[in-house]
Amino acid sequence: MSDQIKQAIQEYATRLGDDSVVLGHRISEWVSYGPFLEEDIAYGNVSLDYIGRARMFYTYAAELADDGRDEDDFAYMRNDREYRNLLLMELPKGDFAYSQVRQLFADVYYTLMLPELLQSKDETLSAIAAKAIKETKYHLRRSRDWVLRLGDGTEESHKRTQKALDQLWGYTHELFDMDETEQLLADAGIGVDVSRLRDSWLKMVSDILTEATLTVPEDSWAVRGGRVGYHTENLGHMLTEMQIVHRSHPGCKW
Amino acid sequence: MTTSQEENFMRKISAEEKIEPKDWMPDAYRKNLIRQISQHAHSEVIGMQPEGNWLTRAPSLRRKAILLSKIQDEAGHGLYLYSACETLGISRSEMIEQLQSGAAKYSSIFNYPTLTWADVGAIGWLVDGAAIVNQVSLQRTSYGPYSRGMIRICKEESFHQRQGYEAMLALAKGSEGQKAMAQDALDRFYWPALMMFGPHDSESAHSQKSMEWKIKRETNDDLRQKFVDQTVKQIEVLGLEHPDKNITWNDERGHYDSSDLNWDEFWSVINGNGHCNRQRIEHHLAAHEEGEWVRDAITAYNEKKRAKKAQHAA
Ligand SMILES: [Fe+2]
Ligand SMILES: [Fe+2]
Ligand SMILES: [Fe+2]
């Protein structure tokens, strides 16, 4: 493997790890705040899947970096400007509709992206994808069901869900952006060319939203920047909380 | 109630046969069980809060994952116990109402605040540990669904205890700062953990009848003694100081002697005036109320689906 490719894979694994840890963290904020006990359990379950994914991606990134860092150095010792997650993942949990709409966007995205990653020539990335695909099936069933019930439930639930859609839509465009690093990996058969997934994503999401009696928002605005560390104001607060104990005791084992 | 029913019930109790939901049982037995099982269920649920307080600050991804899955287990125990209690003729929503109104209690231990990361370890080790001592004994309880629930739940609780102890060990063998954190957590949680076994047998309102009916199998003081005894060695292995300066082995009794507990504090927390009593119920209420529009949405959605189906069928 050339140094250039190796470095690109390390960057790629870090990005995917960042997406997972940030979304997993946001989902975990629901535990004990759900609308009923079964949902507390479900949120815990989904969050756990994402934290597990983050650990696998970071462990791989650390292995490639080969500089003595481990998964926790990636999660806890980088600042918000160094994080490379998609902005969608870092937005606050909002109300139940907001979190479920975000989850639907992410779940459909991973439903399309992971089977491609499974084909990766890189065995580790492919193995992580294999595990994540199974989890994502369950995640999508859940977020789809919720969006259907909320969209086609009461007037209030419909209103809240439509509002969440309108607030979140502008953050979905970034999911399908490619930069040089990702293009290099896609060309090498290692990474996923996400720009080719947008049409299928739009079709799947639109079908669900239509069935839920919701309106697919217009593509009138787009916010970008996660992959270059240009984040929303939310990530700094999230990391402050997440990293406080780890950083207060430098070099300690837990 | 006829005499033969009551005799038959007591015969089963003394023969160690389980009482099942469809069997005849005295009203007081049913009430006593509902009180105890729902209180246990509520404890699992409210217990999610002090531990959940550290979910977003867990110091490593591994610890974060362990804590997530522990809390998930506890929620599962709550669910399982609510179902066991429903076999006695009370609904989950009635139980939740009783929790929120203060009519039903939950374990007082969860009214103590979790102030540092070490508290998460201390809870797993001491609180789940004390719960196990009690629940192992309850595996032999006379009510079938409760007994089976305890067998299932105990396995997971032992796992929690080991993980909690392991987290404490990492701190106790770590830096000075980590060790101090571990000692502080032990000092704060040791006493409330002992209080989890309830008042002295002589002061316990429900104990005597519960023992007769074999709902409870061992007394509060006996269970507490077991826990005191098993914890001494564990503290030693951690290399921490025992919070009870009076702890001494009593050869004659074959047990450790220890200081008496602060029963004023115990009753004050039971009566709703601990550090977090109000906060815990407020939190539960707030989540419940915020979730109302979600629950309404499900009802409305299901109603629409049913109507559609009926229309198709017609
Ligand atoms: Fe439990
Ligand atoms: Fe328990
Ligand atoms: Fe437990």
Side-chain angles (χ1 to χ4, degrees), chain B residues 44 51 70-71 73-74 77 123-124 127-129 131-132 135 153 156-161:
Chain B
E44 303 281 358
E51 294 190 284
K70 178 184 194 283
I71 296 176
D73 286 348
E74 307 298 7
H77 298 166
I123 286 182
V127 174
D128 287 63
I132 294 166
Q135 289 170 20
I153 287 173
E156 287 181 350
E157 302 291 15
S158 323
F159 194 58
H160 299 162
Q161 193 204 10

Side-chain angles (χ1 to χ4, degrees), chain A:
Chain A
M1 179 179 351
S2 78
D3 269 3
Q4 194 196 10
I5 290 277
K6 192 171 151 184
Q7 211 158 29
I9 299 177
Q10 183 197 320
E11 166 70 17
Y12 190 52
T14 306
R15 292 178 182 188
L16 297 180
D18 290 348
D19 289 339
S20 304
V21 86
V22 170
L23 183 56
H25 185 99
R26 284 303 188 205
I27 301 169
S28 79
E29 292 175 345
W30 274 100
V31 173
S32 86
Y33 291 91
F36 44 88
L37 198 48
E38 284 84 348
E39 276 309 299
D40 286 323
I41 298 177
Y43 272 123
N45 205 344
V46 178
S47 172
L48 201 51
D49 288 342
Y50 277 101
I51 300 301
R53 254 180 237 187
R55 295 183 65 191
M56 292 188 283
F57 282 125
Y58 284 153
T59 298
Y60 188 37
E63 192 185 308
L64 293 169
D66 194 25
D67 54 8
R69 286 186 296 166
D70 64 11
E71 57 179 42
D72 288 332
D73 292 311
F74 278 78
Y76 292 92
M77 298 305 289
R78 289 183 306 134
N79 296 325
D80 48 347
R81 299 279 286 135
E82 296 166 286
Y83 259 70
R84 290 291 179 268
N85 60 282
L86 298 161
L87 301 179
L88 179 71
M89 312 303 183
E90 75 195 37
L91 299 170
K93 78 183 206 296
D95 69 3
F96 191 78
Y98 190 86
S99 269
Q100 291 300 348
V101 168
R102 182 232 309 263
Q103 201 59 45
L104 178 75
F105 290 166
D107 294 342
V108 173
Y109 180 70
Y110 287 121
T111 298
L112 297 166
M113 183 272 211
L114 290 170
E116 304 267 329
L117 191 62
L118 183 69
Q119 304 302 321
S120 172
K121 285 183 183 158
D122 183 292
E123 278 173 27
T124 309
L125 292 177
S126 171
I128 298 173
K131 186 169 180 297
I133 284 173
K134 286 179 212 141
E135 300 162 352
T136 295
K137 262 192 198 134
Y138 158 76
H139 299 171
L140 177 61
R141 191 163 9 112
R142 180 169 171 268
S143 58
R144 181 181 174 276
D145 280 359
W146 268 118
V147 169
L148 289 179
R149 288 186 276 186
L150 296 179
D152 197 12
T154 61
E155 201 176 307
E156 178 174 15
S157 70
H158 180 91
K159 222 168 75 190
R160 284 179 186 252
T161 312
Q162 187 63 52
K163 185 174 167 199
L165 274 171
D166 297 337
Q167 286 175 331
L168 286 164
W169 196 255
Y171 294 95
T172 63
H173 304 279
E174 187 188 40
L175 271 57
F176 308 98
D177 286 350
M178 294 288 286
D179 66 0
E180 255 173 57
T181 304
E182 295 194 22
Q183 198 57 57
L184 176 74
L185 293 177
D187 292 342
I190 293 169
V192 178
D193 183 351
V194 287
S195 68
R196 294 189 301 107
L197 304 180
R198 160 93 178 155
D199 289 346
S200 314
W201 183 87
L202 193 59
K203 169 92 175 59
M204 275 178 80
V205 168
S206 302
D207 285 351
I208 295 168
L209 297 184
T210 308
E211 192 184 338
T213 72
L214 295 159
T215 309
V216 181
E218 303 276 336
D219 289 333
S220 54
W221 60 285
V223 182
R224 302 180 144 89
R227 293 296 192 221
V228 293
Y230 187 56
H231 290 280
T232 69
E233 291 174 349
N234 303 290
L235 185 67
H237 293 281
M238 196 202 102
L239 293 182
T240 300
E241 186 176 348
M242 183 177 117
Q243 298 176 336
I244 177 73
V245 180
H246 186 97
R247 290 202 185 200
S248 302
H249 301 262
C252 286
K253 292 269 168 282
W254 302 94

